[in-house]
């Protein structure tokens, strides 16, 4: 068993002094030797951190001692000590990358109803009529997704307003929005409610929480994560789960991501190890691509 753990967490809450919290969190993470990314804004906190299991536990004790964060829902996964190369704690306008502008929603005031992993699993078993809308970026969905999911078509979260025309026929149906850890669905589900969708749920804790409890059940493939692991199978090797990712070049099954070599594109996509050794076209038609063993995109 690895001695390292990765935690994923967020909380939408009014932060009156983001800069002060940023300095305090930098000190706290450094105290316990944690690496990772944290975004703090006036609307809350969003973070993914890695450290030894003992230090992660001590960090959590300190964080929840602050009454503002006492009820945070932490998601855990196994780390390798190399998920992050450094610690980054920054103040931003929003805790989710990608400004929605006029389409922005305040989850403290408006968001979808929560559905737990256990409830969603039960809905699958009951063959209940509902429609999962995957609110992750398109490249994340390529490596794993729920059965029957409606793909949002977003390349980045700021493309959310473009999703509405695709969902117009589901306005009076039961919709469950899903994303990696839940933070994006807080806004995405609220956005749908704001635009007249009457029965919108969001998966509490995101896909991460579901796969922790029900690996390989109703979710095919692996979970894309925004750190150096890139994809995560929650203890299952690739041979133990259904591989749904396909190489853009040969069409073979793969979970290996690469970045377009053109700096003006830098698109993230799947290319098998064999094809990635040669120059291949990226999905945007750029002249060539270069394999990278680890990803370098950044969105929470």
């Amino acid at each position: 068993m690895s001695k390292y753990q990765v935690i994923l967490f967020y909380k939408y809450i009014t932060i009156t002094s983001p800069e002060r919290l940023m300095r305090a969190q930098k000190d706290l993470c450094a105290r316990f030797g944690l690496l990772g990314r944290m975004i703090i804004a006036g609307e809350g906190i969003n973070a993914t951190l890695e450290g030894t299991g003992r230090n992660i536990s001590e960090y959590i004790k300190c964080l929840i001692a602050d009454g503002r964060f006492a009820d945070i829902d932490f998601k855990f996964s196994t780390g390798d000590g190399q998920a992050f190369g450094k610690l980054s704690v920054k103040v931003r306008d929003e805790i989710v990358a990608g400004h929605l502008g006029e389409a922005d929603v305040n989850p403290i005031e408006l968001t979808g109803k929560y559905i737990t992993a256990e409830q969603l699993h039960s809905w699958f078993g009951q063959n209940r009529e509902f429609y999962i809308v995957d609110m992750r970026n398109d490249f994340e969905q390529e490596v794993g997704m729920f059965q029957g999911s409606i793909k949002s078509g977003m390349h980045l979260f700021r493309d959310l307003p473009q999703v509405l025309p695709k969902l117009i026929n589901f306005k009076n149906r039961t919709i469950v929005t899903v994303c990696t850890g839940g933070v994006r669905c807080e806004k995405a589900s609220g956005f749908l409610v704001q635009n007249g969708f009457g029965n919108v749920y969001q998966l509490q804790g995101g896909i991460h929480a579901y796969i922790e409890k029900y690996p390989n059940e109703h979710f095919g493939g692996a979970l894309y994560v925004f750190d150096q692991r890139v994809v995560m199978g929650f203890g299952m090797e690739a041979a133990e789960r259904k591989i749904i990712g396909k190489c853009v070049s040969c069409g073979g099954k793969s979970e290996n991501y690469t970045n377009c070599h053109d700096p003006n594109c830098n698109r993230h996509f799947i290319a098998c190890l064999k094809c990635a050794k040669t120059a291949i076209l990226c999905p945007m038609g750029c002249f060539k691509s270069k394999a990278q063993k680890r990803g370098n995109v950044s969105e929470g």
Side-chain angles (χ1 to χ4, degrees), residues 16 72 119 173 188 209 216 249 273:
T16 55
I72 278 184
Q119 289 172 320
R173 305 296 182 99
N216 236 13
S249 181
L273 292 173

Side-chain angles (χ1 to χ4, degrees), residues 53-291:
R54 180 177 180 178
N55 285 354
I56 287 288
S57 295
E58 292 301 314
Y59 168 81
I60 290 175
K61 288 179 184 178
C62 292
L63 181 65
I64 63 177
D66 183 331
R68 296 174 296 178
F69 308 123
D71 60 348
I72 278 184
D73 178 24
F74 295 94
K75 275 75 70 176
F76 297 86
S77 58
T78 301
D80 58 6
Q82 300 179 48
F84 297 95
K86 63 180 181 179
L87 173 67
S88 173
V89 183
K90 296 182 178 180
V91 172
R92 292 284 188 261
D93 293 332
E94 302 174 29
I95 62 173
V96 175
H99 297 288
L100 294 178
E102 293 181 0
D104 198 22
V105 178
N106 182 355
I108 299 174
E109 300 175 352
L110 179 66
T111 192
K113 295 172 285 190
Y114 292 104
I115 181 171
T116 65
E118 293 84 357
Q119 289 172 320
L120 181 58
H121 186 260
S122 176
W123 282 16
F124 276 118
Q126 296 167 5
N127 291 319
R128 182 166 173 169
E129 183 182 357
F130 64 96
Y131 300 88
I132 290 181
V133 180
D134 198 321
M135 291 296 186
R136 296 175 300 159
N137 302 328
D138 50 10
F139 58 85
E140 298 174 70
Q141 299 169 25
E142 291 173 357
V143 76
M145 63 190 307
F146 280 107
Q147 63 184 45
S149 293
I150 298 170
K151 294 184 178 181
S152 66
M154 295 185 291
H155 182 56
L156 294 173
F157 189 65
R158 62 171 174 262
D159 300 330
L160 179 61
Q162 300 172 21
V163 177
L164 284 180
K166 289 188 172 186
L167 302 180
I168 194 67
N169 293 330
F170 300 93
K171 208 162 189 177
N172 297 315
R173 305 296 182 99
T174 299
I175 287 177
V176 179
T177 64
V178 300
C179 54
T180 305
V183 65
R184 284 176 280 184
C185 283
E186 296 278 2
K187 289 196 173 187
S189 63
F191 177 74
L192 294 183
V193 173
Q194 182 173 268
N195 283 276
F197 287 75
N199 199 22
V200 182
Y201 290 83
Q202 58 172 302
L203 179 56
Q204 189 171 14
I207 298 170
H208 195 299
Y210 185 91
I211 301 181
E212 275 188 79
K213 293 183 170 66
Y214 307 107
N216 236 13
E217 294 189 44
H218 308 294
F219 185 91
L223 179 63
Y224 185 98
V225 291
F226 288 90
D227 59 57
Q228 298 298 322
R229 295 171 298 173
V230 187
V231 298
M232 184 169 56
F234 287 87
M236 293 186 298
E237 298 297 328
E240 300 176 274
R241 62 179 183 265
K242 181 180 179 181
I243 305 298
I244 72 166
K246 294 182 179 180
C247 173
V248 298
S249 181
C250 70
K253 294 182 178 180
S254 178
E255 294 180 342
N256 182 67
Y257 276 87
T258 185
N259 282 5
C260 180
H261 191 46
D262 184 343
N264 295 316
C265 176
N266 201 37
R267 193 175 180 89
H268 210 44
F269 60 93
I270 296 175
C272 71
L273 292 173
K274 181 179 179 180
C275 291
K277 292 179 181 178
T278 61
I280 58 176
L281 286 176
C282 96
M284 300 305 291
C286 301
F287 62 95
K288 63 180 179 178
S289 303
K290 181 174 68 175

